[in-house]
Amino acid sequence: MNFEEIIKEVYEKKKLISDEGQLADYIPELKLVDPDKFGVYISTLHYGHFGIGDCYDRFSAQSIAKVFSLTLAYSILDSKTWERVGVEPSGTSFNSLIQLELEHGIPRNPFINAGAIVICDILLSHLDNPKEDFLAFVRSLSGHGEINYSDKIASSEKKAGYRNVALCNLIKAFGNIENDPVDVLDFYFDLCSLEMNCEELSKIFLFLANDGFTLHDQRQILTRSQTKRINALMQTCGFYDESGEFAFKVGLPGKSGVGGGIVAIHPKQYAIAVWGPRLNAKGNSYKGMRFLEEFTTRSEQSIF
Ligand code: GLN
């Protein structure tokens, strides 16, 4: 399988397209990112790894980090996780409040903001030092200790995150938040501020392509069954109200973030991370989506 050649060709082609996306401007600090950055990195189980473009520049992981928080919560609570958050696509935008009122504070899934906030609440209740312990967990997935939160991004979002404050308070009113909403939100904004590059992201996500085992130290993070379920959730909910389109055009489980990153995995094959900061109307990387669509078409490597 010659991933390298296909990635090079698709990268050069997509680099030239006119990017119709916009930077996420509701988090002021994200507006300062160079909108033309574009990087790709693939880590495979059997064919090595390869990166191109700005794949070593760190950027704001944002909602991609929700996969790590869900993984940690799921490894602690197992199926009890689903008493607090559902497993259905929402069909609404990532920060929507509408369903929460109708569904009594049980978020549709762990990848919309409401669901990720409940997952943060679970972690606050179960970790001694949530911020430090969560970072240590992410670092252990990556195999090295350089990954960090960005204080700048976190404080920028803390000042402007009104919708998330509303979501957390509404869930609390329904009794599905145990801790003080101030602490839950503080942790949520910190986890969204994690900074990583495409190489690090693709390496971290490899355990989801490898039956729950890290590649660098063969540690079991989740059971096989739990791993399949995280992948099923990424497939059905990873791109919010564009999850159907991502399955339709790309055909891989994946997760996006408003920092412009997308990571997708092919079970037993690879994890690929793409970064292009301009977002489409659904809050997903415009170039990232286009790149992955052509990559899976050319490599004939979608899961379907
Ligand atoms: N921190 C962002 C928010 O809460 C994450 C959203 C995203 O990446 N889709 O709005």
Side-chain angles (χ1 to χ4, degrees):
M1 171 54 61
N2 196 348
F3 286 124
E4 187 169 330
E5 203 169 297
I6 295 171
I7 288 175
K8 269 190 198 151
E9 283 175 22
V10 180
Y11 178 88
E12 293 307 333
K13 195 170 154 194
K14 298 299 169 194
K15 202 173 153 67
L16 301 174
I17 61 172
S18 96
D19 194 329
E20 290 165 23
Q22 304 285 333
L23 287 177
D25 56 3
Y26 73 101
I27 301 174
E29 198 66 26
L30 287 182
K31 272 193 292 192
L32 308 178
V33 173
D34 175 353
D36 295 319
K37 292 282 181 182
F38 187 32
V40 178
Y41 199 98
I42 189 166
S43 299
T44 76
L45 296 182
H46 310 293
Y47 303 101
H49 45 84
F50 173 69
I52 192 164
D54 301 308
C55 62
Y56 302 111
D57 288 15
R58 290 210 171 98
F59 58 93
S60 194
Q62 293 297 322
S63 288
I64 297 173
K66 293 171 182 171
V67 179
F68 312 139
S69 49
L70 174 63
T71 298
L72 185 53
Y74 197 22
S75 72
I76 298 169
L77 279 193
D78 198 12
S79 56
K80 283 196 176 324
T81 311
W82 317 124
E83 292 170 11
R84 304 275 309 271
V85 59
V87 295
E88 290 296 337
S90 67
T92 56
S93 62
F94 62 86
N95 54 9
S96 172
L97 283 132
I98 291 169
Q99 283 164 347
L100 264 189
E101 172 82 339
L102 299 172
E103 297 175 6
H104 310 288
I106 306 291
R108 276 284 174 100
N109 67 67
F111 294 146
I112 50 173
N113 289 7
I117 287 169
V118 168
I119 296 294
C120 283
D121 183 58
I122 292 173
L123 292 179
L124 277 194
S125 298
H126 286 84
L127 301 177
D128 295 333
N129 302 295
K131 195 172 165 183
E132 293 76 11
D133 295 352
F134 179 66
L135 185 61
F137 173 68
V138 175
R139 286 177 174 173
S140 78
L141 291 178
S142 83
H144 63 86
E146 283 167 38
I147 290 166
N148 247 314
Y149 301 110
S150 158
D151 290 341
K152 264 192 186 165
I153 299 274
S155 61
S156 177
E157 194 173 3
K158 280 173 197 177
K159 283 188 207 126
Y162 302 112
R163 290 189 76 91
N164 289 319
V165 174
L167 285 167
C168 191
N169 282 293
L170 186 54
I171 304 169
K172 178 80 180 175
F174 279 111
N176 194 21
I177 292 282
E178 292 170 355
N179 297 280
D180 184 332
V182 172
D183 298 333
V184 178
L185 286 163
D186 209 54
F187 181 47
Y188 172 76
F189 291 133
D190 282 334
L191 89 87
C192 287
S193 81
L194 275 178
E195 290 188 317
M196 290 173 212
N197 60 37
C198 291
E199 180 193 21
E200 289 160 340
L201 278 169
S202 74
K203 291 200 162 144
I204 293 180
F205 268 72
L206 216 43
F207 81 95
L208 291 170
N210 193 32
D211 288 337
F213 287 84
T214 55
L215 203 66
H216 61 281
D217 58 2
Q218 287 300 321
R219 218 158 28 93
Q220 186 167 23
I221 307 299
L222 295 173
T223 66
R224 275 190 69 172
S225 158
Q226 288 172 330
T227 306
K228 283 195 268 188
R229 287 183 167 174
I230 299 268
N231 291 341
L233 282 167
M234 290 204 294
Q235 183 76 64
T236 51
C237 312
F239 298 81
Y240 322 110
D241 47 341
E242 200 170 29
S243 299
E245 180 127 343
F246 193 80
F248 191 75
K249 291 189 170 162
V250 178
L252 296 173
K255 186 73 204 80
S256 62
V258 290
I262 297 180
V263 193
I265 68 115
H266 193 307
K268 315 237 190 306
Q269 295 283 344
Y270 62 75
I272 187 164
V274 187
W275 178 41
R278 288 193 173 102
L279 310 177
N280 65 21
K282 309 279 182 170
N284 302 317
S285 169
Y286 180 84
K287 249 186 198 161
M289 301 281 281
R290 302 283 292 266
F291 173 88
L292 287 169
E293 180 181 358
E294 187 154 343
F295 170 70
T296 52
T297 305
R298 293 271 290 269
S299 61
E300 299 180 0
Q301 280 287 321
S302 103
I303 63 165
F304 297 108

Coordinates of all heavy atoms in Angstrom, one line a residue, residues 76-77 121-128 133 178:
I76 N -13.2 4.1 33.1 CA -13.5 4.2 34.5 C -14.9 3.6 34.8 O -15.1 2.7 35.6 CB -13.4 5.6 35.1 CG1 -12.0 6.1 35.0 CG2 -13.8 5.6 36.6 CD1 -11.8 7.6 35.3
L77 N -15.9 4.1 34.1 CA -17.3 3.8 34.4 C -17.9 2.6 33.5 O -19.0 2.2 33.8 CB -18.2 5.0 34.1 CG -18.3 6.1 35.2 CD1 -19.4 7.0 34.8 CD2 -18.5 5.5 36.6
D121 N -17.7 16.3 33.9 CA -18.3 16.2 35.2 C -17.9 14.8 35.8 O -17.5 14.7 37.0 CB -19.8 16.4 35.2 CG -20.4 16.4 36.6 OD1 -20.0 17.2 37.4 OD2 -21.3 15.5 36.8
I122 N -18.0 13.8 35.0 CA -17.7 12.4 35.4 C -16.2 12.4 35.9 O -15.9 11.8 36.9 CB -18.0 11.4 34.3 CG1 -19.5 11.2 34.1 CG2 -17.4 10.0 34.7 CD1 -19.9 10.4 32.9
L123 N -15.4 12.9 35.0 CA -13.9 12.9 35.3 C -13.6 13.7 36.6 O -12.8 13.2 37.4 CB -13.1 13.4 34.2 CG -13.1 12.5 32.9 CD1 -12.3 13.1 31.8 CD2 -12.6 11.1 33.3
L124 N -14.3 14.8 36.8 CA -14.1 15.6 38.0 C -14.4 14.8 39.2 O -13.8 14.9 40.3 CB -15.0 16.9 38.0 CG -14.5 18.1 37.3 CD1 -15.3 19.3 37.7 CD2 -13.0 18.4 37.5
S125 N -15.5 14.0 39.1 CA -15.9 13.2 40.3 C -15.0 12.0 40.5 O -15.0 11.4 41.6 CB -17.3 12.6 40.1 OG -18.2 13.7 40.0
H126 N -14.2 11.6 39.5 CA -13.4 10.3 39.7 C -11.9 10.5 39.7 O -11.2 9.6 40.1 CB -13.8 9.3 38.6 CG -15.1 8.7 38.8 ND1 -16.3 9.3 38.4 CD2 -15.4 7.5 39.4 CE1 -17.3 8.5 38.7 NE2 -16.8 7.4 39.3
L127 N -11.4 11.7 39.4 CA -10.0 11.9 39.3 C -9.6 12.8 40.5 O -10.3 13.7 40.9 CB -9.5 12.6 38.0 CG -9.9 11.9 36.7 CD1 -9.4 12.7 35.5 CD2 -9.2 10.5 36.7
D128 N -8.4 12.5 41.1 CA -7.9 13.3 42.3 C -7.6 14.7 41.8 O -7.9 15.7 42.5 CB -6.7 12.6 42.9 CG -7.1 11.2 43.5 OD1 -8.3 11.1 43.9 OD2 -6.2 10.3 43.6
D133 N -4.2 14.9 36.0 CA -4.4 13.4 35.7 C -4.8 13.3 34.2 O -4.3 12.3 33.5 CB -5.4 12.8 36.6 CG -5.0 12.8 38.0 OD1 -3.9 13.1 38.3 OD2 -5.9 12.5 38.9
E178 N -22.9 16.7 38.6 CA -22.7 16.5 40.1 C -21.9 17.7 40.7 O -22.2 18.1 41.9 CB -21.9 15.2 40.4 CG -22.7 14.0 40.0 CD -21.9 12.7 40.1 OE1 -20.6 12.8 40.3 OE2 -22.5 11.6 39.9

